[in-house]
């Protein structure tokens, strides 16, 4: 960040939190902490649960045109009464550090210079950091949700994996998962991935987050038993979720570059 500051840019991230969803409150705190450690200015806009869509969009429009703000992130889920798509479309694609705007979603398909969502990015980053080859591997994704599974389809294709996608209508889920060199679960059901569904030696990445009765979180994978069959496995907590905040910061830096590029183009 020092280089950026030397050139007169003080990176600043705005996070919008509507309501008090406990996981979102914790995530905001963890982003604030990471920003503090990295020297990125952090500003939280906490709005009441009963705020209207128009209130959030008005704030977004203000932040979109504020040159001191380089990244904007909206904590999800939004209150059920809000039109999520309408709100997400109001974020400037150049400041959209969680990769939720349709323009950035489109860039995933074309592998273009956009801002990509951090949780699917994190699934890939874990493999890259651990020297796991993705190129040419058969990746089986369980879950096609908008946040994780769906963007991952194209992000894994961009890494030259051969991709199979499973969901609730998939017939014979274990038959598919057993063929996976890389199995990524993004479902949100504790224990849905069991040891008998894993090819021995496979890479297992668990993006699921589930509450554990009595406190804490766990993933989708039966970690204790799958660990005995898998070659590599990412834990929950301490796996996919643990690097998303650092990827948000990486996206802030990328956003600054995109904004500078846009400004140059406009002159
Ligand atoms: P989502 O939109 O709820 O999607 C869940 C997906 O799982 C759907 O595609 C659904 O299939 C599929 N599914 C449900 N039950 C299934 C079953 N029995 N067999 C096969 N597929 C099944 O979820 P999301 O928002 O993408 O999130 C996925 C998980 O990632 C959640 O646990 C979420 O908490 C977690 N997450 C983690 C992070 C992190 O930082 N680590 C961040 C965001 C989300 P259909 O499409 O057919 O319904």
């Amino acid at each position: 960040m020092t280089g950026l500051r030397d050139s007169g840019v003080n990176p600043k991230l705005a996070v919008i939190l509507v309501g008090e969803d406990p996981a979102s409150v914790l995530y905001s705190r963890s982003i604030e902490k990471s920003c503090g450690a990295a020297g990125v200015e952090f500003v939280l806009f906490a709005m009441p649960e009963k705020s209207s869509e128009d209130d959030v969009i008005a704030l977004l429009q203000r932040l979109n045109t504020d040159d001191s703000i380089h990244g904007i992130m909206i904590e999800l889920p939004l209150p059920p009464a809000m039109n999520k798509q309408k709100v997400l479309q109001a974020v400037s694609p150049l400041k959209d550090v969680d990769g939720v705007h349709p323009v950035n979603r489109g860039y995933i398909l074309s592998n273009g210079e956009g801002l990509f969502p951090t949780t699917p990015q994190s699934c890939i980053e874990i493999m890259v950091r651990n020297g796991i080859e993705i190129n040419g591997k058969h990746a089986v994704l369980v879950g096609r949700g908008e946040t994780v599974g769906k963007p991952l389809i194209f992000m894994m294709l961009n890494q030259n994996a051969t991709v199979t996608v499973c969901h609730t209508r998939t017939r014979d889920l274990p038959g598919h998962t057993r063929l996976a060199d890389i199995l990524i679960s993004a479902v949100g059901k504790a224990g849905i991935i069991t040891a008998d569904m894993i090819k021995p030696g496979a890479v297992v990445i668990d993006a699921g987050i589930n509450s554990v009765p009595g406190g804490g979180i766990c993933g989708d994978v039966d970690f204790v038993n799958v660990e005995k069959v898998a070659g590599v496995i990412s834990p929950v907590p301490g796996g996919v979720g643990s690097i998303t905040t650092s990827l948000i910061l990486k996206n802030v830096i990328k956003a600054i570059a995109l904004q500078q590029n846009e400004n140059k183009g406009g002159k």
Side-chain angles (χ1 to χ4, degrees):
M1 303 292 168
T2 320
L4 273 174
R5 241 175 268 110
D6 289 347
S7 63
V9 180
N10 286 312
K12 188 168 172 183
L13 171 66
V15 171
I16 301 176
L17 174 65
V18 188
E20 288 171 4
D21 173 64
S24 298
V25 171
L26 280 178
Y27 195 34
S28 302
R29 284 198 197 123
S30 134
I31 295 170
E32 182 173 13
K33 213 167 135 195
S34 300
C35 281
V40 171
E41 206 177 320
F42 172 92
V43 54
L44 177 69
F45 293 89
M47 304 179 74
E49 173 90 20
K50 57 178 190 309
S51 307
S52 72
E53 225 160 82
D54 289 345
D55 292 337
V56 181
I57 291 172
L59 172 62
L60 282 169
Q61 285 166 346
R62 186 157 65 78
L63 298 174
N64 286 344
T65 53
D66 180 341
D67 289 343
S68 76
I69 301 281
H70 303 96
I72 302 172
M73 186 185 150
I74 305 175
E75 288 278 6
L76 298 175
L78 286 166
M82 254 182 221
N83 181 334
K84 178 177 149 189
Q85 284 313 322
K86 203 173 155 195
V87 172
L88 299 183
Q89 281 174 33
V91 183
S92 159
L94 297 172
K95 296 188 176 183
D96 173 29
V97 291
D98 210 16
V100 292
H101 192 282
V103 164
N104 283 317
R105 289 294 160 127
Y107 278 131
I108 301 177
L109 268 66
S110 61
N111 202 12
E113 270 304 301
L115 295 164
F116 295 165
T118 50
T119 304
Q121 243 191 91
S122 171
C123 295
I124 292 173
E125 182 83 10
I126 280 187
M127 290 187 268
V128 171
R129 287 187 191 182
N130 287 285
I132 294 164
E133 172 106 42
I134 301 174
N135 197 329
K137 296 283 176 65
H138 181 198
V140 176
L141 315 181
V142 187
R144 56 174 170 179
E146 295 298 329
T147 316
V148 193
K150 212 172 267 179
L152 250 182
I153 298 170
F154 297 98
M155 291 165 82
M156 288 297 284
L157 273 177
N158 294 339
Q159 298 286 328
N160 297 317
T162 299
V163 181
T164 299
V165 192
C166 302
H167 44 79
T168 51
R169 311 296 167 86
T170 298
R171 292 183 195 156
D172 187 17
L173 178 63
H176 288 284
T177 59
R178 275 188 216 115
L179 297 175
D181 301 315
I182 298 170
L183 174 65
I184 307 182
S185 186
V187 173
K189 284 191 180 157
I192 190 174
I193 306 295
T194 50
D196 59 327
M197 295 166 76
I198 308 295
K199 175 161 90 173
V203 172
V204 178
I205 307 291
D206 192 351
I209 297 185
N210 307 287
S211 312
V212 174
I217 55 163
C218 70
D220 292 341
V221 176
D222 171 10
F223 187 88
V224 173
N225 293 306
V226 170
E227 193 185 19
K228 295 173 190 156
V229 187
V232 186
I233 179 168
S234 74
V236 178
V240 170
S242 67
I243 55 173
T244 50
T245 52
S246 69
L247 295 174
I248 294 269
L249 297 182
K250 231 172 150 177
N251 272 353
V252 173
I253 304 308
K254 194 171 180 187
I256 291 170
L258 293 172
Q259 287 155 40
Q260 287 176 338
N261 218 16
E262 176 85 356
N263 288 342
K264 268 189 228 152
K267 278 176 189 164

